[in-house]
Amino acid sequence: TAGITQAPTSQILAAGRSMTLRCTQDMRHNAMYWYRQDLGLGLRLIHYSNTAGTTGKGEVPDGYSVSRANTDDFPLTLASAVPSQTSVYFCASSDSTRDTQYFGPGTRLTVL
Amino acid sequence: GQNIDQPTEMTATEGAIVQINCTYQTSGFNGLFWYQQHAGEAPTFLSYNVLDGLEEKGRFSSFLSRSKGYSYLLLKELQMKDSASYLCAVMDSNYQLIWGAGTKLIIKP
């Protein structure tokens, strides 16, 4: 079982460009999450989805959008990247919002 | 506001015992999680506490006191592979995880 996969592994992006980070899980988990991790800070929730077809805003949603067309996929889009979006992005999933979250390997994004 | 505090860095010796503390102030409480994160890798789940007391899982144990807003992760018989960051996270009243910044544990031979 692959669990959660993320793509790309890393990316360098010019400011102003758009990009979609991909996340796919094969555990049939209902809930999925996007976090960013920055040095010296805890993981911060960007957006979440409690179940397919629904999404919600987390702590730091500005500049990001998500969609949840099906159970397995939860892409994160940066419409117009800015240098402050340089970070490591982790996708996670859980059976329900009350359950343990399991993480993908992450995407390291650098915006120049 | 919501806050999770844990030490930034700790150093311990191979074979020894180390205790990593976590204190929290959150809007509601629906459990406390500990994760391990090796450098450049994803966080991996270690333990979950929702009731007061000690949960033991092999070399790792986790303790919770809800009245004190306090937890610790105890690692015994330290091995070099335990060198990692340890993240404390609390599930709040909205079932969202609030994360501490993590404790970097350095193991010396």
Side-chain angles (χ1 to χ4, degrees), chain B residues 77-92:
Chain B
E77 301 169 13
L78 285 169
Q79 302 176 9
M80 297 304 293
K81 67 179 182 179
D82 297 329
S83 291
S85 289
Y86 291 85
L87 314 182
C88 174
V90 172
M91 186 166 279
D92 70 8

Side-chain angles (χ1 to χ4, degrees), chain A residues 35-45 59-60 84 86-88 90, chain B residues 3-4 6 8 37 43 85-88 98-103:
Chain A
Y35 290 95
R36 60 178 289 172
Q37 187 174 42
D38 302 291
L39 204 61
L41 298 178
L43 287 160
R44 292 183 291 169
L45 183 66
E59 180 187 355
V60 288
S84 62
T86 293
S87 188
V88 180
F90 287 104
Chain B
N3 195 51
I4 311 288
Q6 47 182 135
T8 302
Q37 185 177 26
S85 289
Y86 291 85
L87 314 182
C88 174
I98 310 301
W99 295 83
T103 298

